[in-house]
Amino acid sequence: YPKVLSEMKMPDLLSEKRIIDPLFMYSKEELLNKIGIAKAKIKVPNKDGLMYMPCKREGKGIYFPNKIQELTSYWTLFELKRAEMEGYEILEIYDSVIYRELPFNPFKEFMVKLYNLRKDSDEIFNKVIKILMNSLGSKFAQYRPRTERKVCHRAEYKKFEKMGYYIENEFGEQYMIRKDFEKVLPKYAHPIITIMMTAYARDYLYWNLKKIPFKDLLYCDTDSIAFKGNYIEKFNINNELGEW
């Protein structure tokens, strides 16, 4: 995530524009070269092995269909363009939200400095920096729960219970009580940054996975690939940001 966040094309959030039936305004090639997301219908190619396009399964994360079928979902325009290279067919594009590209990446210098600091830090501080780097991109799509806590005597608790508070901890005669409010969207939130970061990260991982025959792939994660066989020479092994 830190690598793609520091290298990907960045949307100008102030230029956000929703376009219904975008192919009425743009050709497909023009639209797919823009930054944004779209609701589209695609045809999945029938092939064995790695599949490119993810689809969300309610309550079970994402999966990658590998049988011929038509799917309607939301994807980044970047993913739709790359999917065509892998044999997917775009049947319809119903709706889109597009952005102009920022002339710079606001995260690049920040990530590089953090990574260099991490390489020179001790084991404990190394983990702190790692968390900072890995979690930054997801914060733009995170709701913040709002809670309120009070300390009250147990004799007063019934009054607060009627107001929606519940006991979180007990300290003898004193209760730590808590009330949860509806989650709010922080002012700094803008999901397109997180959406694009995860799309670019899946793409980066996918093209590295393709270096290995499918039969020899064992496992992958956001930052790792496990395989059997001697394929190490296919990867650039070093300690630079985002490398293996």
Side-chain angles (χ1 to χ4, degrees):
Y1 289 151
K3 175 183 172 64
V4 297
L5 189 61
S6 66
E7 295 180 353
M8 71 185 195
K9 293 181 178 181
M10 290 299 302
D12 179 352
L13 303 181
L14 298 179
S15 70
E16 181 178 283
K17 179 168 61 175
R18 182 183 179 188
I19 304 175
I20 298 174
D21 193 13
L23 295 183
F24 180 78
M25 181 176 296
Y26 302 105
S27 69
K28 184 178 71 172
E29 290 70 27
E30 287 177 318
L31 181 65
L32 296 186
N33 280 317
K34 294 186 179 297
I35 295 175
I37 57 174
K39 180 181 181 181
K41 180 193 289 186
I42 63 172
K43 186 175 182 180
V44 178
N46 187 21
K47 65 175 186 177
D48 295 323
L50 287 174
M51 302 302 291
Y52 184 80
M53 288 297 264
C55 197
K56 190 169 184 180
R57 182 180 291 160
E58 191 66 31
K60 296 183 180 179
I62 62 173
Y63 71 110
F64 296 80
N66 65 343
K67 300 298 181 184
I68 291 180
Q69 58 183 296
E70 294 181 0
L71 296 174
T72 299
S73 189
Y74 292 87
W75 293 281
T76 64
L77 297 172
F78 167 78
E79 287 174 292
L80 289 168
K81 180 179 180 179
R82 302 281 273 185
E84 285 194 316
M85 298 166 56
E86 292 298 285
Y88 291 81
E89 183 180 353
I90 299 174
L91 303 176
E92 301 278 353
I93 300 180
Y94 304 105
D95 196 355
S96 67
V97 177
I98 63 173
Y99 304 81
R100 290 194 302 267
E101 181 182 352
L102 273 182
F104 62 94
N105 185 310
F107 300 106
K108 185 175 181 62
E109 184 178 356
F110 178 71
M111 283 299 183
V112 171
K113 284 184 176 180
L114 276 181
Y115 189 66
N116 288 335
L117 183 62
R118 181 184 171 192
K119 287 192 292 186
D120 296 331
S121 65
D122 59 37
E123 183 180 354
I124 295 176
F125 196 44
N126 183 293
K127 292 180 180 179
V128 173
I129 298 173
K130 180 180 179 180
I131 292 172
L132 283 174
M133 295 178 69
N134 289 345
S135 63
L136 175 61
S138 62
K139 295 301 177 184
F140 294 98
Q142 186 179 51
Y143 278 99
R144 292 182 61 187
R146 188 169 73 88
T147 60
E148 187 176 282
R149 290 178 173 86
K150 296 178 182 290
V151 176
C152 74
H153 190 273
R154 68 175 187 174
E156 301 177 291
Y157 174 64
K158 287 297 181 182
K159 175 182 67 176
F160 286 105
E161 186 178 34
K162 293 177 181 178
M163 298 165 58
Y165 288 85
Y166 61 92
I167 299 172
E168 191 172 45
N169 282 298
E170 297 183 29
F171 305 96
E173 298 285 307
Q174 302 293 322
Y175 292 163
M176 172 69 78
I177 58 175
R178 168 176 171 169
K179 182 177 181 180
D180 297 320
F181 296 85
E182 185 177 351
K183 290 182 178 180
V184 295
L185 193 64
K187 292 181 179 179
Y188 58 77
H190 212 302
I192 187 62
I193 295 175
T194 308
I195 290 168
M196 289 187 61
M197 179 189 72
T198 52
Y200 271 79
R202 284 193 301 268
D203 180 83
Y204 181 73
L205 184 61
Y206 176 83
W207 294 105
N208 277 281
L209 286 167
K210 286 200 71 174
K211 296 175 181 178
I212 311 297
F214 185 68
K215 64 181 178 62
D216 291 334
L217 286 172
L218 302 175
Y219 172 81
C220 72
D221 210 326
T222 55
D223 61 356
S224 59
I225 298 173
F227 54 84
K228 59 182 180 179
N230 185 20
Y231 302 104
I232 289 294
E233 70 280 358
K234 294 180 178 289
F235 297 88
N236 187 18
I237 308 296
N238 60 56
N239 65 348
E240 295 305 311
L241 180 61
E243 298 296 347
W244 303 98

